[in-house]
Amino acid sequence: MAYRHYHVVGLVLGHLAHGESNRLYQVLTPDFGLIRVLAQGVRLEKSKLRYNLQTYHLVDLDLVRGREYWRLTGAAKIGLANSLQVAFGRKLGSVLLRLIHGEEASAVIFTDLKRAWDLLAEKPAEIDPEDLEIFILIRLLANLGYLASSEVSVLILASQDFTWSDVSAISSKRSALIRVINASLLSSGL
């Protein structure tokens, strides 16, 4: 029986030990949404893939669909992540795991995360990365249907290909945006 191989880009959000030498990764992809990927033998010292599957990093994955999980056949890191990118992934990863359930294409969400990832790679010194987190959270909640459009969030949702100038424009409205995010999460029950 021939298996169909898939090549996808993903953001590794977390992992769990699975058996003696395996790991089960949670990966957000643009085509399949949040998927669970089983990497066999990746905890062994001789594994070639173990360093390519670091949490909160962007990776290129080669996968085969299994009954319960996707099976990993190959992986490669996309560049080296800096400390800002890893901290950003850690903070948003926990929110993403709470809000996204099941496999559903999420190209818009992944594109926003990828754009934020690229902005953090070139971060100017005068920009606050917390503004970017708030910016992305508003976009994420709106795309998932947890946030209604308001006068505070309309500028954030209007820009498709955002830049640092778009992100820094929200710094004066930070407290109002945090209240909107908290109210949205509270009303969602998550």
Side-chain angles (χ1 to χ4, degrees):
M1 175 178 196
Y3 294 99
R4 182 169 178 200
H5 290 264
Y6 297 89
H7 181 78
V8 297
V9 175
L11 177 63
V12 179
L13 297 177
H15 61 81
L16 300 168
H18 190 268
E20 196 170 302
S21 61
N22 305 334
R23 273 199 179 132
L24 187 62
Y25 289 92
Q26 294 169 310
V27 181
L28 182 69
T29 66
D31 300 325
F32 304 111
L34 186 63
I35 60 174
R36 297 184 319 168
V37 178
L38 181 65
Q40 292 187 312
V42 77
R43 293 171 58 198
L44 297 173
E45 280 187 41
K46 65 182 180 178
S47 173
K48 296 176 184 177
L49 298 177
R50 71 185 296 176
Y51 300 108
N52 293 329
L53 293 167
Q54 293 181 357
T55 309
Y56 313 119
H57 283 71
L58 281 174
V59 291
D60 278 323
L61 300 173
D62 293 318
L63 305 169
V64 174
R65 185 172 212 127
R67 261 186 290 157
E68 257 185 283
Y69 312 113
W70 290 81
R71 306 278 180 168
L72 183 71
T73 60
K77 255 194 278 189
I78 300 175
L80 294 174
N82 62 31
S83 61
L84 288 174
Q85 290 169 321
V86 172
F88 175 79
R90 183 176 295 117
K91 288 178 183 177
L92 283 181
S94 63
V95 175
L96 287 167
L97 291 173
R98 282 176 50 196
L99 296 177
I100 298 177
H101 301 284
E103 295 181 18
E104 185 178 323
S106 55
V108 174
I109 294 169
F110 188 83
T111 302
D112 284 349
L113 290 173
K114 176 75 169 81
R115 180 72 186 135
W117 189 266
D118 293 341
L119 287 176
L120 286 170
E122 61 182 52
K123 179 197 171 292
E126 67 276 357
I127 302 296
D128 189 356
E130 288 183 17
D131 288 339
L132 182 61
E133 292 169 20
I134 293 168
F135 192 91
I136 293 298
L137 271 174
I138 291 287
R139 291 178 68 91
L140 173 71
L141 290 170
N143 286 326
L144 291 174
Y146 291 110
L147 181 73
S149 181
S150 66
E151 65 180 54
V152 179
S153 64
V154 73
L155 292 175
I156 294 172
L157 300 174
S159 58
Q160 293 296 325
D161 196 22
F162 53 90
T163 62
W164 275 117
S165 61
D166 297 326
V167 173
S168 62
I170 69 162
S171 61
S172 62
K173 301 173 187 155
R174 183 188 283 193
S175 61
L177 290 169
I178 290 173
R179 282 193 299 275
V180 168
I181 291 169
N182 289 337
S184 175
L185 291 174
L186 184 65
S187 65
S188 71
L190 299 172

